[in-house]
Amino acid sequence: MPELPEVETIRRDLLSKVRGKKITGVTIPPDPRGSRVIRRYPSADLFRKRLKNRSIVDLKRRGKYLLFHLDSGDILIIHLGMSGRLLLVADKTAPPIYTRLFFRLATGKKLCFADPRKFGEAYLYSREKGHICCDPFSLGPEPLGDELSPADLSRMLAGRKAAVKALLLNQKIIAGLGNIYADESLFRAGIDPRKPAGEVTAEKIPTLLESIRKVLEESIRSRGTTASNGQYVDGKGNSGSFQFRLNVYQRKGESCRRCGAEIETVRIAGRTSHFCPRCQK
DNA sequence: ATTGGGACCTGCTCGC
DNA sequence: TGCGAGCAGGTCCCAA
């Protein structure tokens, strides 16, 4: 599942290959099953009208969203959902299986958005019209960099009765964490994912923020997590390697690397949450 | 306002 | 061997 480290890895892989390149065409192949192509996207006509013959001037990331900045000032925004991949292939090569839309570039390559589960999303942002399709942005601060301080995090958790894990998954609180890194961050901080957010002690808040940053940075260095049930590959089509460094995620029944206790799972906010019952209180 | 749960979607794994 | 049930989860939407 592409979370912040996976999206950031893809961004870095693609940046030099798309920056300065002109989009010469947009194609949305019909789905063989006849259902929707991806979860949401502007009409094909609108896509063509606003993207064709525009150059990509930059590729940025916000939370789990990729932002293709165009020379028109428009921004093409892509969310990879659960199973999305962005791959560059030669123009003469057939698009990869499950390609939902692709952009032909003047370089002779196609930028393909493949997504078997169709949870992906594409948006346009235009200076004049604002968000086209719908507004993907009411995101909380980025956890990396200095945008988020322990005091900020403390304020956001204060008084909340929901499980701290549930709030870490809330993109309005922090942008970019998903199930894998929420679980891994809470393990490192020694916090039980079920603990009501407002009861996380003041001295634990900086530890939690530090754990979040460390986990994300380490995963970026490992080029992301390709979990056993995951579809994630980087911008070159390769798997990441952070799955070999996970402490709790998908390690149910295995022994804690720190204390040897058996890793357990519990359902929180509809998500399977992995934790060590001895290390996390 | 906050919180929880279901819907969306389909490839994969598991058990019979 | 084949088949159906259940699982995976990011985001949105609705209800309590």
Side-chain angles (χ1 to χ4, degrees):
Chain A
M1 303 115 260
E3 303 178 27
L4 188 154
E6 289 76 29
V7 177
E8 178 63 17
T9 300
I10 292 170
R11 186 192 73 81
R12 293 179 186 182
D13 286 348
L14 292 180
L15 178 59
S16 65
K17 295 174 182 171
V18 301
R19 185 159 53 187
K21 307 299 189 286
K22 185 189 276 188
I23 297 169
T24 56
V26 183
T27 304
I28 304 180
D31 184 81
R33 300 192 190 197
S35 62
R36 69 172 57 130
V37 181
I38 52 178
R39 196 156 187 238
R40 63 186 88 235
Y41 60 99
S43 73
D45 279 349
L46 191 57
F47 250 144
R48 282 188 206 101
K49 196 166 142 195
R50 298 203 69 99
L51 297 185
K52 196 170 176 187
N53 294 324
R54 294 299 177 187
S55 291
I56 298 167
V57 296
D58 205 355
L59 176 55
K60 298 185 179 178
R61 180 191 58 75
R62 178 79 173 91
K64 302 172 191 172
Y65 294 85
L66 280 169
L67 284 58
F68 293 81
H69 289 253
L70 308 179
D71 58 357
S72 59
D74 284 3
I75 307 173
L76 165 65
I77 304 168
I78 286 182
H79 191 293
L80 297 170
M82 286 289 299
S83 56
R85 299 176 168 189
L86 273 177
L87 297 165
L88 272 170
V89 302
D91 206 7
K92 287 175 183 166
T93 307
I97 189 169
Y98 306 124
T99 291
R100 307 302 182 187
L101 63 99
F102 62 86
F103 308 93
R104 213 171 257 111
L105 303 180
T107 55
K109 296 213 168 174
K110 289 186 295 230
L111 179 62
C112 301
F113 183 12
D115 182 17
R117 291 190 203 169
K118 300 178 177 174
F119 275 31
E121 301 171 353
Y123 310 85
L124 276 175
Y125 176 86
S126 92
R127 264 194 301 229
E128 320 88 65
K129 299 186 177 180
H131 289 283
I132 299 172
C133 182
C134 52
D135 180 0
F137 286 122
S138 42
L139 295 179
E142 290 288 321
L144 299 182
D146 52 10
E147 227 174 89
L148 178 64
S149 71
D152 295 330
L153 184 59
S154 184
R155 268 193 299 277
M156 293 185 286
L157 302 188
R160 305 286 295 255
K161 289 178 181 163
V164 59
K165 162 78 184 278
L167 290 200
L168 292 187
L169 290 176
N170 184 342
Q171 303 300 296
K172 293 179 173 63
I173 303 287
I174 302 176
L177 290 185
N179 207 34
I180 298 173
Y181 300 108
D183 281 359
E184 292 296 316
S185 299
L186 287 166
F187 171 78
R188 291 203 191 200
I191 299 170
D192 189 317
R194 298 164 293 189
K195 183 183 272 284
E199 293 176 22
V200 176
T201 59
E203 56 265 29
K204 275 282 192 183
I205 298 279
T207 309
L208 176 56
L209 183 53
E210 196 57 27
S211 300
I212 291 168
R213 288 181 171 149
K214 287 244 170 72
V215 166
L216 295 176
E217 284 165 0
E218 284 178 29
S219 180
I220 290 171
R221 279 200 290 279
S222 298
R223 303 187 57 76
T225 301
T226 301
S228 61
N229 62 342
Q231 303 284 327
Y232 162 74
V233 293
D234 64 23
K236 302 168 184 169
N238 299 320
S239 295
S241 63
F242 196 67
Q243 62 274 19
F244 302 117
R245 308 183 57 166
L246 296 171
N247 286 306
V248 288
Y249 184 78
Q250 285 194 340
R251 295 194 66 242
K252 180 182 184 179
E254 296 178 38
S255 50
C256 173
R257 300 192 204 280
R258 187 183 289 161
C259 78
E262 199 169 295
I263 302 301
E264 297 179 6
T265 61
V266 64
R267 198 112 177 126
I268 300 171
R271 300 287 168 263
T272 303
S273 304
H274 313 70
F275 69 104
C276 170
R278 198 182 294 165
C279 292
Q280 295 176 254
K281 300 293 179 191

